[in-house]
């Protein structure tokens, strides 16, 4: 029985009927996974539909039949393969994705990286940053216990205060409900002396963080 208010697979658009920019993979590349519906994310996992229905129609029907994400989480391999259009390979893909999500959400704090000092940041990032031949501006997002809950490369190229905008840094911080942010970038030249641009960027990020209530813990440069 379909849940009230849910879109029927009969009127869900096919990929051919959708503008290319509205298709799940393209939208995910442009806007990130958070912009996609449950059915669209499921369609990316399943990859293909059948001769009778598109992968989007299949995804929406599966969600309707199992009762949404909560129902999908508790659906067994036998129950999945009993659904029309879901063979063993697709069922295993779904179960693997669900299990990864379960393990991530259930990971104990002891398995998360905690930042207590600049050395902790260097231990996490130095090995990766030292080999870049261009400047990479990277942000680490922390929770209230200083556990790293995410990281993003915001910009690649010569650091410039007009390009590294606080909007891009704190947009991700807000999306992740971060308590604080650490920003860092490499200097391929090997000279870690802060430049005028480094200082300008840090000042702008500190001001924006104060307004938003998200503390900028550090903005440092790591040498190659």
């Amino acid at each position: 029985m379909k849940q009230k208010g849910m879109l029927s697979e009969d009127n869900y658009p096919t990929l051919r009927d959708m503008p290319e920019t509205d298709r799940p993979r393209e939208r995910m590349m442009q806007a990130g996974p958070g912009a996609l519906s449950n059915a669209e994310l499921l369609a990316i996992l399943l990859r293909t539909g059948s001769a009778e229905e598109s992968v989007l129609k299949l995804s929406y029907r599966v969600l309707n039949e199992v009762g949404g994400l909560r129902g999908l989480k508790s659906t067994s391999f036998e129950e999945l393969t009993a659904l029309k259009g879901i063979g063993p390979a697709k069922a295993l893909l779904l179960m693997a994705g669900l299990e990864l999500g379960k393990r991530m959400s259930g990971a104990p704090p002891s398995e998360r990286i905690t930042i207590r000092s600049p050395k902790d940041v260097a231990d996490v990032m130095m090995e990766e940053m030292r080999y870049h031949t261009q400047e990479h501006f990277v942000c680490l997002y922390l929770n209230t216990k200083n556990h790293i809950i995410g990281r993003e490369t915001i910009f690649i190229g010569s650091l410039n205060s007009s390009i590294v905008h606080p909007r891009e840094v704190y947009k991700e911080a807000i999306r992740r409900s971060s308590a604080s942010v650490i920003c860092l970038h490499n200097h391929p030249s090997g000279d870690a002396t802060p430049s005028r641009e480094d200082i300008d960027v840090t000042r702008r990020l500190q001001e924006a963080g104060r307004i938003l209530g998200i503390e900028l813990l550090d903005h440092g440069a790591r040498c190659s």
Side-chain angles (χ1 to χ4, degrees):
M1 183 177 179
K2 292 184 176 63
Q3 297 178 16
K4 186 176 179 180
M6 293 188 75
L7 184 65
S8 166
E9 66 269 17
D10 295 330
N11 57 26
Y12 202 89
T14 65
L15 289 177
R16 289 192 303 273
D17 296 332
M18 301 175 70
E20 186 172 340
T21 54
D22 289 343
R23 296 172 186 174
R25 289 183 183 179
E26 285 73 14
R27 289 212 304 124
M28 187 169 177
M29 286 189 289
Q30 293 297 321
L36 274 62
S37 69
N38 294 337
E40 289 171 321
L41 290 171
L42 193 61
I44 290 176
L45 280 177
L46 294 176
R47 297 182 60 191
T48 59
S50 67
E52 299 175 359
E53 59 185 353
S54 71
V55 66
L56 278 171
K57 286 188 176 182
L58 172 61
S59 300
Y60 219 101
R61 177 170 58 76
V62 167
L63 287 176
N64 282 349
E65 291 183 6
V66 301
L69 290 182
R70 188 180 297 274
L72 185 61
K73 182 180 177 181
S74 58
T75 303
S76 68
F77 176 78
E78 290 76 18
E79 290 170 330
L80 283 172
T81 53
L83 296 172
K84 182 181 178 182
I86 301 295
K90 282 184 167 63
L92 290 172
L93 277 173
L94 294 180
M95 293 181 72
L98 290 167
E99 180 62 23
L100 282 173
K102 179 181 176 182
R103 292 184 186 186
M104 288 177 64
S105 63
S110 60
E111 292 183 15
R112 298 174 182 167
I113 298 172
T114 303
I115 300 299
R116 299 184 180 87
S117 68
K119 180 181 181 302
D120 293 332
V121 179
D123 289 343
V124 172
M125 298 298 300
M126 180 72 81
E127 195 62 25
E128 174 187 333
M129 299 286 281
R130 73 166 73 239
Y131 296 111
H132 293 318
T133 57
Q134 288 182 285
E135 288 192 20
H136 283 57
F137 189 89
V138 179
C139 292
L140 300 178
Y141 299 99
L142 282 62
N143 63 16
T144 55
K145 295 182 178 180
N146 281 4
H147 297 144
I148 296 177
I149 57 175
R151 54 166 287 189
E152 291 288 336
T153 299
I154 302 297
F155 178 73
I156 299 175
S158 298
L159 191 65
N160 185 297
S161 60
S162 65
I163 295 176
V164 181
H165 198 283
R167 174 180 60 244
E168 303 304 320
V169 172
Y170 289 104
K171 175 179 70 175
E172 287 298 320
I174 293 169
R175 187 175 72 84
R176 297 172 186 271
S177 299
S178 304
S180 57
V181 180
I182 293 175
C183 299
L184 61 151
H185 68 278
N186 62 315
H187 282 176
S189 65
D191 181 5
T193 305
S195 66
R196 182 178 59 81
E197 290 291 354
D198 293 348
I199 296 170
D200 288 345
V201 168
T202 302
R203 184 181 298 115
R204 295 182 70 197
L205 291 175
Q206 286 175 329
E207 292 173 357
R210 278 195 293 267
I211 293 171
L212 293 170
I214 302 174
E215 185 179 4
L216 176 70
L217 292 183
D218 189 20
H219 173 204
R222 310 296 171 197
C223 296
S224 61

